[in-house]
Amino acid sequence: MNYVFEFGWLAQYYPQIVKGVLITLELIAIGAVLGISLGIFCAWARALGPSWLKPIVATYVELIRNTPFLIQLFFIFFGLPSLGLQLGELTAANIAMVINLGAYSCEIIRAGIQATTKGQFEAGASLAMTRFETFRHVVLVPSLQRIWPALSSQVVIVMLGSSVVSQIAAEDLTFAANFIQSRTFRAFEAYIVSTLIYLCLAILLRQALAVLGGFIFPRRLAR
Amino acid sequence: MIEFSTWDILRNLLLATRWTILLSLVSFVGGGAVGLLLLFVRISTRKATRAFAKYYIELFQGTPLLMQLFIAFFGLGLFGIDVPAWLAAGLALILWTASFLAEIWRGCVESIAKGQWEASASLGMGRLQQMRYVIFPQALKIAVPPTVGFSVQVVKGTALTSIIGFVELSKAGTVVTNATFQPFTVYGLVALIYFALCWPLSRSSQILERKLNVAHRNH
């Protein structure tokens, strides 16, 4: 044990760290908005969609949920160019995160839709709404409200999982930590500090989503 | 240049899959043991020990697994400890798995009615006896489906150990890609092998959930 901790020199790398944090936040912002939208669409398709669409969506969900995010990322970034689809590292990271969160949120949202009573659909039908209108106006919002905590946790998990996008050279927070590590050989400090930043981001993100949930769903759910 | 057939690629990947399976088993069993300890600490009657377990869980669930692997691999090396990749991988995965399993099992233990604790206490049982004879057998039934379900996360988690240089399925995928220049085929096959490992687990978790739920409804 002759290692001396020094955190002071980290200060000179703060532009890299700030840039990394911003890119991580940007990834999760885009990932969350588009991913949850995709999840809502897939949940609709699996619960109420046309019968030809159901097996396609089910296959997508099962494939994504049962393979590692890292491999999905590599497949998109390294594999797709052989089909002539060359993507930048940030685009590839974004697509991978949207596809990943889309599959997980689909299952979470579907659980919320299934917990909605059948009477709600019948009530919508009695107002001469189509099935889609009933879904859009009557079913969706209470379903989302019910599963909002689970959905928030999943967004936090995907944010933490985004640390692997550094492996395709997307310059997120982990990339910054690796950069500092390779410059200074001070692995312990670089990784401890970035790990603590991730912890703060996770706590803040959870809080922000809880506040957002209260804002979107102001009324208490009628039971 | 040497030509590689799809069979050559697949054989190499399957050979590396052994290490993914082995590491998953070690992480799951080790994580289960540590998780059980952590569970007892988490539901202990003493406030300070409870808080320790709570912060442990918060720390390991609130930070990326990749960072935990980096700290175990690069960080410990700086103290003059020679850490091979397999050791760092196993250690980080065990501690990470433990934090999740402890929290899953806590939910199961807490779903047992409080009266069960009180009833067994009134029979003069100690805390360990209460756990062993009354709470544990009931909680086990609820705990099986989510525990099997979480094993999928462990298998997928092992993919990250490729980044610190442990040669398992993902790393083999990268190595084979570098040799064959066929990333589409290789990563497609890697994904399918992971799917073949994980899908039976998540299916059985779903089936168990349905079965045990039916049993629950009959009570």
Side-chain angles (χ1 to χ4, degrees), chain A:
Chain A
M1 286 288 282
N2 46 8
Y3 188 76
V4 184
F5 283 103
E6 274 179 54
F7 287 98
W9 53 268
L10 266 174
Q12 58 177 307
Y13 287 103
Y14 90 96
Q16 269 89 5
I17 296 178
V18 169
K19 190 182 169 206
V21 169
L22 289 179
I23 289 186
T24 293
L25 285 176
E26 187 190 316
L27 283 173
I28 193 58
I30 296 174
V33 171
L34 296 182
I36 292 174
S37 311
L38 180 62
I40 291 173
F41 170 76
C42 290
W44 168 81
R46 279 196 85 169
L48 308 159
S51 54
W52 59 268
L53 194 58
K54 278 180 190 171
I56 299 174
V57 173
T59 312
Y60 152 69
V61 168
E62 290 295 315
L63 267 180
I64 296 299
R65 279 163 55 92
N66 289 299
T67 51
F69 179 62
L70 183 66
I71 297 301
Q72 295 160 15
L73 190 69
F74 280 174
F75 187 80
I76 291 172
F77 188 68
F78 297 119
L80 289 187
S82 23
L83 297 185
L85 196 63
Q86 195 94 39
L87 298 164
E89 62 274 359
L90 272 182
T91 320
N94 268 322
I95 292 176
M97 282 175 75
V98 168
I99 288 180
N100 192 272
L101 184 60
Y104 281 95
S105 59
C106 166
E107 286 304 274
I108 297 172
I109 295 165
R110 195 165 68 108
I113 292 173
Q114 278 170 347
T116 307
T117 54
K118 221 177 157 198
Q120 298 283 331
F121 285 94
E122 288 161 4
S126 74
L127 291 173
M129 285 179 170
T130 64
R131 276 173 75 81
F132 183 75
E133 283 171 338
T134 311
F135 176 76
R136 157 92 180 67
H137 297 289
V138 182
V139 176
L140 183 60
V141 173
S143 303
L144 280 179
Q145 182 168 11
R146 216 170 262 126
I147 48 86
W148 190 252
L151 202 57
S152 308
S153 305
Q154 192 59 46
V155 171
V156 173
I157 289 173
V158 170
M159 190 273 282
L160 295 175
S162 80
S163 63
V164 305
V165 303
S166 58
Q167 293 306 304
I168 58 167
E171 299 180 28
D172 74 328
L173 180 53
T174 307
F175 188 89
N178 285 336
F179 177 82
I180 298 170
Q181 199 271 137
S182 62
R183 282 286 182 88
T184 61
F185 298 108
R186 292 210 157 251
F188 212 78
E189 285 94 333
Y191 291 131
I192 286 280
V193 167
S194 43
T195 302
L196 290 179
I197 297 175
Y198 269 114
L199 185 62
C200 295
L201 286 181
I203 294 170
L204 285 177
L205 187 58
R206 204 175 301 149
Q207 296 292 329
L209 285 168
V211 170
L212 184 68
F215 188 70
I216 307 176
F217 315 112
R219 280 164 291 119
R220 294 282 274 124
L221 189 61
R223 286 247 165 228

Side-chain angles (χ1 to χ4, degrees), chain B residues 141-173:
Chain B
K141 213 163 115 186
I142 315 169
V144 168
T147 307
V148 175
F150 182 73
S151 66
V152 175
Q153 308 296 328
V154 177
V155 176
K156 291 192 296 178
T158 62
L160 295 191
T161 62
S162 65
I163 298 172
I164 59 168
F166 181 71
V167 184
E168 36 65 80
L169 182 50
S170 297
K171 184 74 184 173

